[in-house]
Amino acid sequence: MYKSVKETILIVDDKPGNILALEALLETKERRIFHSLTGNEALKLALDQEIDLILLDIQMPEMDGFEVAQILKTNKRTREIPIIFITAEIIDSKNILKGYEEGAMDYLTKPLDPQLVKAKVKVLLRLQTQKKELVQQNLILEKYNLLINNSADMIGVIDRKSLKFEQVNQAVEEILYYDEAELLKLDLLYLHDKSNHQYLKNLSQQEEELINFETWIFTKKREQKWLHWKIRVKGEKWFFNARDITEIKKNQKIRTYLATVVKQSNNAVYISDSDGNIISWNIGAEKIYGYSEREALKMKIWNIIPDIIKPEASLLMQKILTGERILDLETKRINKFGKLIDVLYSATLLDEGKKSTESSIAITERDITQQNIAEEKIKKLNQDLQDNVAQLEFSNQELESFSYSVSHDLRAPLRALYGYAQIIEEDFGDELSKEARKYLDNIKRNAHRMGILIDDLLNLSRLGRKNLDKKKVDMHQMVNEVLDCIDENFKANSIVMIDPLPPCHVDYTLFRQVWENLISNAIKYSGKKSQPEIHIYAENDDEKITYHIKDNGVGFNMAYADKLFGVFQRLHSDQEFEGTGVGLAIVKRIINKHQGRIWVDSQEGIGTTFSFTLPKN
């Protein structure tokens, strides 16, 4: 067997002598010859070997040459092998046609002419070799075509003079959104802004074999994209590869921005290697520690770690080098001037996967010294507040005891005073002068007034300690209940108008007192009018409800309005209108406890409107 085999021949004949004669005639260094004595053996060899040509005897027992050829032509692997039929007799045209139908390329008649056999075999082998080479080249071209059309990059040809596209792959649809036919009608300048046209024209004049450049272009959707062009110049043609680098450009911009943010951050952001050498140092680190970047790059991180925590910091660094991430650990550092500062320390390993000796650590530290000082002040203030609350609770208890004492100790002499005045009036009334009776009436009236005043003061003192029991209350119904208790004589001679009043979440008991005090005030100060009028209405918005109680009473000068809600502050004398000067103070305190606000608007001789707001939530 030869070391280099270019051509293979299969000789099929049932006579060994014929085979030996053909082998001797056809054998060369470039050829390998197989032979078989039967049709079945020939079929097996054709399937197992790469055969270029078959010389097939027609007259064979069991399976003749026509049958062997027919089977070969039905198999995909063997049907392209050329066949030369060999016959010992002259066959008719019908059998000749049959042979060609079964795939015969030619016929040889025994006795064989050696020169003719050599010539026919040589021609057929050359044709088969050329056919194989052509098939191989087609396969290579198909692969190249697949590679080009499946590439994510744009690949194609541009005419140097006109800069028109002459050939492009399918990637143009992904990158530019044009199909191939559309782009072949355009030139390179069309894709670019006018500011780049002259630059491209200058490039087209260059004679370098390779050209690289980056430009931004407009897609069919008028989007902007960045392309990196690689061009090989061949004569008047540009063979180009254009890669979409839009995302890379965006990422570069983001990285540049982040680098700027890190550099300008007020936090210390720096990098150390595994030995603790500082290899990066931002402006924030300069501000916090006082070392310039030039100074820091000659230091180790141990220069800013207090001696007392260096063992702890060393263990922490070993953990980080094994991949552990540290986030917001409160620790101590020391600055250039020897001052201890509190920092929040975060660190993570860079270059994961490398040996620990080759890795570096990214560190962020935020100075929280002032924050800790402020927190200590807040803690002290909170403690002071708790002490004050305790003191206030103690004072409230004392006030409650005092209130009880006032209630008990003052009421007893008042009852005695009122009782003795009534006894004198009953037992000695006939003997008393008119002036003496007047004095007794004054004593009883003032004793009664003092009792009311004591009740009002006790109510006012209890308000500060009472917890609110808020429920949804029908204000319209509550106002009607209060009006039902009005003196019948007033009802008969007055006009009371109540608009629909929205409900609100309030303490029922306390707000019953609010409405009683405000409506009583309106009745009292409008009672001297020939026809008193009271109008109760409300306004509603997204956040609050405002209630109004308007009367046409005597009114007052608004210059004194700020005194109206103070304890014992009255704008009218007892001779004009009775009162203790505590009722409106109670109303204001109740509304304040409900996070509301109360105010008044009045004109002398025209009337007064009290208004208060309550939050919806």
Side-chain angles (χ1 to χ4, degrees):
M1 186 174 67
Y2 301 111
K3 290 184 179 179
S4 176
V5 178
K6 295 183 179 179
E7 304 164 341
T8 57
I9 302 172
L10 173 60
I11 301 172
V12 185
D13 198 315
D14 60 334
K15 294 180 175 58
N18 292 338
I19 292 175
L20 288 172
L22 281 171
E23 283 184 348
L25 182 64
L26 299 175
E27 190 172 33
T28 67
K29 290 182 180 180
E30 291 81 20
R31 294 175 184 169
R32 183 180 181 187
I33 300 175
F34 297 94
H35 62 264
S36 73
L37 296 171
T38 66
N40 284 327
E41 187 180 349
L43 292 173
K44 186 175 183 303
L45 278 169
L47 288 171
D48 291 343
Q49 304 296 330
E50 290 288 338
I51 304 298
D52 293 321
L53 177 63
I54 299 175
L55 276 68
L56 181 58
D57 188 27
I58 295 176
Q59 302 296 328
M60 289 192 301
E62 297 181 4
M63 184 185 299
D64 64 24
F66 291 139
E67 292 175 311
V68 173
Q70 185 179 31
I71 294 172
L72 287 171
K73 293 305 174 182
T74 58
N75 189 287
K76 183 178 179 181
R77 179 175 170 79
T78 59
R79 65 187 174 200
E80 298 297 330
I81 303 174
I83 300 172
I84 298 177
F85 280 124
I86 300 174
T87 178
E89 57 186 29
I90 299 174
I91 58 176
D92 57 27
S93 59
K94 182 178 180 181
N95 282 325
I96 291 175
L97 289 173
K98 180 181 179 183
Y100 284 127
E101 287 174 359
E102 300 301 341
M105 297 295 292
D106 206 345
Y107 278 86
L108 290 172
T109 306
K110 297 177 183 177
L112 298 175
D113 181 344
Q115 297 304 318
L116 182 61
V117 171
K118 284 183 178 182
K120 287 189 175 184
V121 168
K122 184 178 180 180
V123 169
L124 287 176
L125 285 174
R126 187 187 304 130
L127 289 173
Q128 184 68 0
T129 301
Q130 291 173 349
K131 182 178 179 181
K132 281 186 175 181
E133 289 174 352
L134 186 60
V135 169
Q136 191 63 31
Q137 288 172 0
N138 285 338
L139 286 173
I140 292 170
L141 288 173
E142 285 180 10
K143 289 180 181 178
Y144 281 138
N145 188 51
L146 285 171
L147 286 172
I148 289 170
N149 279 320
N150 286 316
S151 172
D153 296 345
M154 284 171 47
I155 299 172
V157 180
I158 296 174
D159 182 78
R160 276 179 68 186
K161 290 184 178 180
S162 64
L163 292 179
K164 285 184 67 65
F165 290 97
E166 294 186 345
Q167 192 173 349
V168 290
N169 67 340
Q170 293 174 0
V172 297
E173 296 187 28
E174 292 292 328
I175 297 175
L176 303 179
Y177 311 121
Y178 292 103
D179 61 32
E180 183 179 352
E182 289 175 321
L183 196 63
L184 294 181
K185 296 176 183 177
L186 307 176
D187 59 32
L188 190 60
L189 299 180
Y190 180 82
L191 301 179
H192 288 79
D193 183 73
K194 289 182 179 179
S195 59
N196 281 326
H197 286 188
Q198 190 57 49
Y199 171 71
L200 293 170
K201 290 176 181 178
N202 292 340
L203 283 178
S204 70
Q205 302 301 317
Q206 293 183 13
E207 295 300 330
E208 287 86 350
E209 187 177 350
L210 293 174
I211 302 173
N212 283 277
F213 61 94
E214 293 178 359
T215 58
W216 60 266
I217 53 90
F218 290 113
T219 69
K220 184 178 180 180
K221 297 179 181 179
R222 307 312 289 169
E223 296 175 354
Q224 284 190 4
K225 286 190 175 183
W226 275 92
L227 297 183
H228 179 258
W229 300 82
K230 287 184 177 181
I231 294 175
R232 182 172 292 274
V233 181
K234 292 287 184 180
E236 297 303 316
K237 305 297 179 186
W238 272 3
F239 294 85
F240 73 86
N241 179 294
R243 177 165 295 179
D244 184 357
I245 58 169
T246 307
E247 289 303 317
I248 295 174
K249 285 288 186 180
K250 286 180 181 177
N251 292 336
Q252 286 176 347
K253 187 175 181 180
I254 291 170
R255 283 196 294 269
T256 302
Y257 172 75
L258 289 176
T260 303
V261 169
V262 168
K263 196 70 178 175
Q264 301 300 325
S265 172
N266 287 324
N267 294 335
V269 182
Y270 58 97
I271 298 174
S272 79
D273 64 18
S274 57
D275 292 327
N277 297 301
I278 295 172
I279 57 179
S280 169
W281 191 256
N282 78 330
I283 292 174
E286 290 185 4
K287 291 177 181 177
I288 292 174
Y289 294 113
Y291 295 102
S292 68
E293 184 178 14
R294 178 177 295 180
E295 291 173 316
L297 295 181
K298 299 175 183 177
M299 295 165 32
K300 290 180 178 285
I301 59 172
W302 314 113
N303 294 92
I304 59 173
I305 297 177
D307 291 339
I308 194 170
I309 64 169
K310 279 182 179 177
E312 176 188 337
S314 181
L315 289 174
L316 190 63
M317 188 170 181
Q318 294 305 315
K319 289 182 179 180
I320 297 167
L321 287 171
T322 61
E324 185 172 334
R325 187 180 180 189
I326 307 300
L327 185 65
D328 291 341
L329 173 69
E330 188 168 341
T331 186
K332 298 280 187 182
R333 290 290 181 264
I334 187 167
N335 67 14
K336 182 179 181 179
F337 312 105
K339 181 182 176 182
L340 277 176
I341 57 177
D342 299 319
V343 299
L344 273 184
Y345 172 87
S346 298
T348 189
L349 182 66
L350 299 176
D351 312 315
E352 287 190 40
K354 288 188 176 182
K355 295 179 182 179
S356 60
T357 54
E358 300 175 357
S359 298
S360 52
I361 302 172
I363 300 168
T364 302
E365 290 169 343
R366 180 161 63 89
D367 185 355
I368 57 170
T369 307
Q370 295 303 319
Q371 178 182 321
N372 285 348
I373 292 172
E375 286 177 355
E376 285 299 321
K377 288 182 179 179
I378 291 171
K379 286 180 183 178
K380 187 177 184 307
L381 289 172
N382 284 336
Q383 186 59 50
D384 292 345
L385 181 60
Q386 290 176 5
D387 294 342
N388 290 337
V389 169
Q391 183 64 37
L392 183 60
E393 288 178 353
F394 178 74
S395 299
N396 283 338
Q397 291 174 0
E398 287 189 330
L399 180 60
E400 191 169 348
S401 298
F402 173 74
S403 299
Y404 177 80
S405 175
V406 168
S407 175
H408 183 269
D409 296 345
L410 290 184
R411 284 181 187 280
L414 280 176
R415 284 195 295 270
L417 184 64
Y418 187 87
Y420 285 128
Q422 193 167 2
I423 290 171
I424 291 172
E425 185 178 32
E426 290 175 356
D427 292 350
F428 304 102
D430 295 338
E431 302 174 15
L432 295 175
S433 66
K434 185 176 180 181
E435 189 174 2
R437 286 178 178 278
K438 178 181 176 183
Y439 291 151
L440 281 176
D441 286 341
N442 285 340
I443 290 170
K444 289 195 293 180
R445 185 172 64 254
N446 282 297
H448 178 69
R449 182 172 178 274
M450 183 62 72
I452 294 172
L453 182 59
I454 290 170
D455 288 340
D456 286 346
L457 286 173
L458 287 173
N459 287 335
L460 188 63
S461 67
R462 291 192 191 105
L463 277 177
R465 302 189 303 276
K466 187 180 186 310
N467 292 324
L468 295 180
D469 180 19
K470 284 187 177 183
K471 296 176 183 176
K472 188 175 182 179
V473 172
D474 186 337
M475 292 294 208
H476 198 87
Q477 182 180 342
M478 180 181 281
V479 168
N480 279 316
E481 289 173 358
V482 171
L483 288 170
D484 285 342
C485 302
I486 294 175
D487 180 81
E488 292 297 328
N489 184 53
F490 179 84
K491 286 182 181 180
N493 297 296
S494 65
I495 298 173
V496 179
M497 294 178 291
I498 310 172
D499 292 354
L501 302 176
C504 202
H505 282 82
V506 295
D507 185 301
Y508 181 89
T509 304
L510 292 181
F511 249 83
R512 176 69 183 250
Q513 189 170 1
V514 168
W515 285 115
E516 286 176 353
N517 287 6
L518 292 177
I519 291 173
S520 296
N521 258 23
I523 291 172
K524 178 167 62 175
Y525 291 108
S526 63
K528 293 184 179 181
K529 288 279 185 171
S530 59
Q531 189 173 41
E533 290 183 12
I534 298 175
H535 183 198
I536 302 173
Y537 58 100
E539 295 175 300
N540 201 344
D541 62 31
D542 293 338
E543 297 180 357
K544 64 183 182 301
I545 304 171
T546 305
Y547 299 93
H548 305 277
I549 303 94
K550 182 179 181 180
D551 65 60
N552 66 339
V554 295
F556 61 86
N557 189 338
M558 283 295 288
Y560 305 103
D562 57 332
K563 297 181 179 181
L564 196 62
F565 298 102
V567 181
F568 305 133
Q569 297 293 326
R570 304 192 68 235
L571 302 183
H572 300 278
S573 65
D574 283 346
Q575 286 73 24
E576 292 180 281
F577 302 99
E578 292 185 354
T580 61
V582 181
L584 288 178
I586 290 173
V587 167
K588 183 176 181 180
R589 186 165 293 188
I590 291 172
I591 291 172
N592 286 346
K593 281 179 74 71
H594 285 78
Q595 287 81 49
R597 184 172 70 91
I598 186 169
W599 68 94
V600 65
D601 184 28
S602 184
Q603 285 183 282
E604 287 185 275
I606 295 176
T608 301
T609 301
F610 281 92
S611 305
F612 63 88
T613 63
L614 292 173
K616 281 190 172 181
N617 299 320

